[in-house]
Amino acid sequence: MVDAHRTFVIVGGGLAGSKAAEALRAEGFTGRVILIGDERDHPYERPPLSKGYLAGSDERESVFVHEPAWYAGADIELHLGQTVVRLDRPAKRLELGDGTRLNYDKLLLATGAEPRRLDIPGTSLASVHHLRRIAHADRLRGRLTALGQENGHLVIAGAGWIGLEVAAAAREYGAEVTVVEPEPTPLHSVLGPEMGTLFADLHQEHGVRFHFGARLAKITGADGMVQSVRTDDGDEHPAHDVLAAIGAAPRTSLAEAAGLELAPGPSGGVAVDSALRTSDPDVYAAGDVASLRETPWGGPLRVEHWANALNSGPAAARSMLGRDVVYDRVPYFFSDQYDVGMEFSGYAPPGTYDQVVCRGDVAKREFIAFWLRDDRVLAGLNVNVWDVTAAVQDLIRSGTPVDPQTLADPDVPLPDLGPAPDKG
Ligand SMILES: Cc1cc2nc3c(=O)[nH]c(=O)nc-3n(C[C@H](O)[C@H](O)[C@H](O)COP(=O)(O)OP(=O)(O)OC[C@H]3O[C@@H](n4cnc5c(N)ncnc54)[C@H](O)[C@@H]3O)c2cc1C
């Protein structure tokens, strides 16, 4: 039975928003819970959109966070296909695109992120794609099927996680794939060159072509369809479809217009403390849009990963209920490409680590890579090695110095790793 005296509103019907709604009920909140999302689909998970769903192996029903009937059963008032266009903080009121006004006692912003757009000629052609929503995946899937049948070419701008996963799916359809990337290796800004090279090799073995050190400069086409692309170093590549996979930008416009503090720096996001509170004590943020001011790994830190949406939504819900919350989880990401599955924990972009140490068989792609600074583990990537994430994250969290040689020895269980020998 819902008591109407307290109303908690969640803006954003993605994973963070829907998991926050679930957590409010699980924690015993009996007030109104209103979840507003601008997509028409019920909240769903996005990782399959570049993996099983795109490849055609995952059914549509499998991507949804809850069955549609779950929301009514949990007394969640779900507004789908509705955009929140204004946040009036002094009045504690929201305005929807259709003019509806809603008052809140506590508000959670879980507005996620949106794909960055290419700012070059030709991006309005119909066969230029982005990948964030189910509808994007449906369209891309149709095109990959056609490309596979016609030996057509897909050009992907960006060798990040999504670009690489789509490259793998496209090769499985039989499409020709060229990936254009300004850095010298894939995933360079996340993993650095050492592991980036491994991903380049993996994809090249599967027939993907890379053009490193260049950006797309122009897309040429006719009748809405792409015919070729030109890179800024003057090369031309055949193309029938182009995917812009150049990252995502947090959806902060609502927060910004309402005068909430935003995070400094290029990553942006709505600034939150470790309890996921924004600069307004009645407004919280979680998921891709939230940027933690400080974390044990430095800050500001905005994490655009599934596990962060899964965990920070419920953490924000508990915080809205007045519970003590310190959200300091180790960043975690997973990916599947061809027959290679991997999990990455931690944070170690180039410039933050001084060596990469591997244990296991790198050539067979069954290993764990560790990024170290001063013998302390900053991050770990397990590739086709499973059930080690907790141990890897313990090493990261503990900050204990480890001996790199012992770390590389697969016969020493990770939990037994001792401190590095004294070098003095
Ligand atoms: C193709 C793809 C593959 C991915 N694969 C992986 C992976 O393998 N591993 C991994 O860890 N992560 C992966 N991710 C990232 C992961 O999916 C995101 O981190 C996660 O979806 C973030 O959830 P969220 O709820 O914060 O935001 P979102 O999922 O973006 O949800 C936010 C929702 O809010 C809506 N919204 C925004 N503004 C408003 C408004 N004003 N009014 C109403 N509604 C609004 C948006 O339309 C959206 O529906 C992938 C992402 C994509 C796109």
Side-chain angles (χ1 to χ4, degrees):
M1 184 70 173
V2 172
D3 96 60
H5 294 304
R6 275 168 72 70
T7 302
F8 285 9
V9 179
I10 300 166
V11 183
L15 183 61
S18 54
K19 283 285 164 187
E22 180 184 341
L24 286 173
R25 288 292 180 238
E27 294 283 332
F29 180 64
T30 54
R32 290 178 73 192
V33 177
I34 302 176
L35 176 58
I36 308 162
D38 61 3
E39 297 185 65
R40 293 199 179 277
D41 291 297
H42 283 78
Y44 57 91
E45 310 218 12
R46 297 184 200 274
L49 305 189
S50 51
K51 307 179 187 62
Y53 186 73
L54 186 65
S57 54
D58 291 358
E59 295 296 326
R60 189 180 176 92
E61 291 67 40
S62 69
V63 305
F64 293 98
V65 182
H66 299 287
E67 305 232 324
W70 177 86
Y71 295 90
D75 281 322
I76 312 289
E77 297 172 45
L78 192 56
H79 296 253
L80 294 177
Q82 291 268 24
T83 307
V84 176
V85 293
R86 187 158 172 262
L87 162 57
D88 180 346
R89 291 195 295 122
K92 295 180 84 169
R93 190 182 302 136
L94 295 170
E95 192 176 317
L96 308 191
D98 65 0
T100 308
R101 291 178 175 185
L102 287 170
N103 292 319
Y104 64 85
D105 293 296
K106 299 272 181 196
L107 174 68
L108 174 62
L109 296 176
T111 48
E114 61 194 340
R116 292 187 196 279
R117 310 266 154 181
L118 288 166
D119 186 16
I120 57 172
T123 48
S124 59
L125 291 163
S127 54
V128 176
H129 309 266
H130 298 90
L131 183 53
R132 184 83 195 175
R133 299 184 164 196
I134 288 196
H136 299 155
D138 287 338
R139 215 171 139 255
L140 190 55
R141 189 155 91 171
R143 288 301 305 153
L144 294 183
T145 309
L147 292 179
Q149 286 161 355
E150 295 156 11
N151 216 15
H153 289 254
L154 172 69
V155 169
I156 300 175
W161 295 109
I162 291 179
L164 293 182
E165 288 177 358
V166 174
R171 287 301 297 144
E172 279 161 19
Y173 276 99
E176 299 293 329
V177 179
T178 303
V179 179
V180 178
E181 164 62 50
E183 298 288 354
T185 62
L187 296 164
H188 195 270
S189 62
V190 193
L191 305 182
E194 299 85 352
M195 285 299 119
T197 305
L198 182 121
F199 282 90
D201 293 347
L202 170 69
H203 283 270
Q204 278 161 346
E205 277 169 28
H206 284 85
V208 173
R209 297 183 197 90
F210 284 102
H211 185 152
F212 291 117
R215 293 171 195 275
L216 282 195
K218 188 176 180 191
I219 304 171
T220 308
D223 302 326
M225 299 310 282
V226 173
Q227 289 172 328
S228 66
V229 299
R230 172 145 337 135
T231 50
D232 59 1
D233 55 1
D235 273 11
E236 195 140 358
H237 295 281
H240 299 98
D241 287 77
V242 172
L243 173 72
I246 55 171
R251 292 186 65 175
T252 53
S253 56
L254 201 59
E256 190 174 0
L260 288 170
E261 180 192 332
L262 300 185
S267 179
V270 178
V272 291
D273 64 15
S274 60
L276 300 161
R277 278 180 303 240
T278 69
S279 52
D280 179 329
D282 293 319
V283 182
Y284 298 72
D288 281 9
V289 78
S291 175
L292 287 156
R293 285 194 198 98
E294 277 173 39
T295 71
W297 305 275
L301 183 65
R302 191 172 67 78
V303 179
E304 268 176 21
H305 297 338
W306 171 88
N308 178 56
L310 183 78
N311 295 305
S312 67
R318 288 191 290 278
S319 200
M320 291 162 87
L321 292 167
R323 315 264 198 276
D324 282 335
V325 168
V326 178
Y327 186 75
D328 62 355
R329 296 181 78 95
V330 177
Y332 166 89
F333 182 87
F334 64 89
S335 181
D336 298 312
Q337 294 163 35
Y338 312 104
D339 55 354
V340 178
M342 65 212 86
E343 296 171 289
F344 180 75
S345 295
Y347 182 66
T352 61
Y353 62 90
D354 51 35
Q355 61 174 319
V356 179
V357 169
C358 293
R359 68 157 51 197
D361 194 333
V362 177
K364 267 177 72 187
R365 298 195 182 108
E366 279 179 24
F367 66 97
I368 313 175
F370 296 94
W371 284 254
L372 273 68
R373 184 180 61 220
D374 299 333
D375 293 337
R376 289 176 169 82
V377 178
L378 300 178
L381 174 77
N382 48 299
V383 176
N384 281 345
V385 171
W386 303 109
D387 300 324
V388 293
T389 304
V392 170
Q393 294 194 357
D394 283 347
L395 281 172
I396 296 168
R397 204 183 289 280
S398 77
T400 312
V402 292
D403 174 21
Q405 276 187 347
T406 320
L407 188 62
D409 181 352
D411 292 332
V412 181
L414 290 179
D416 295 353
L417 278 167
D422 192 351
K423 287 180 180 161

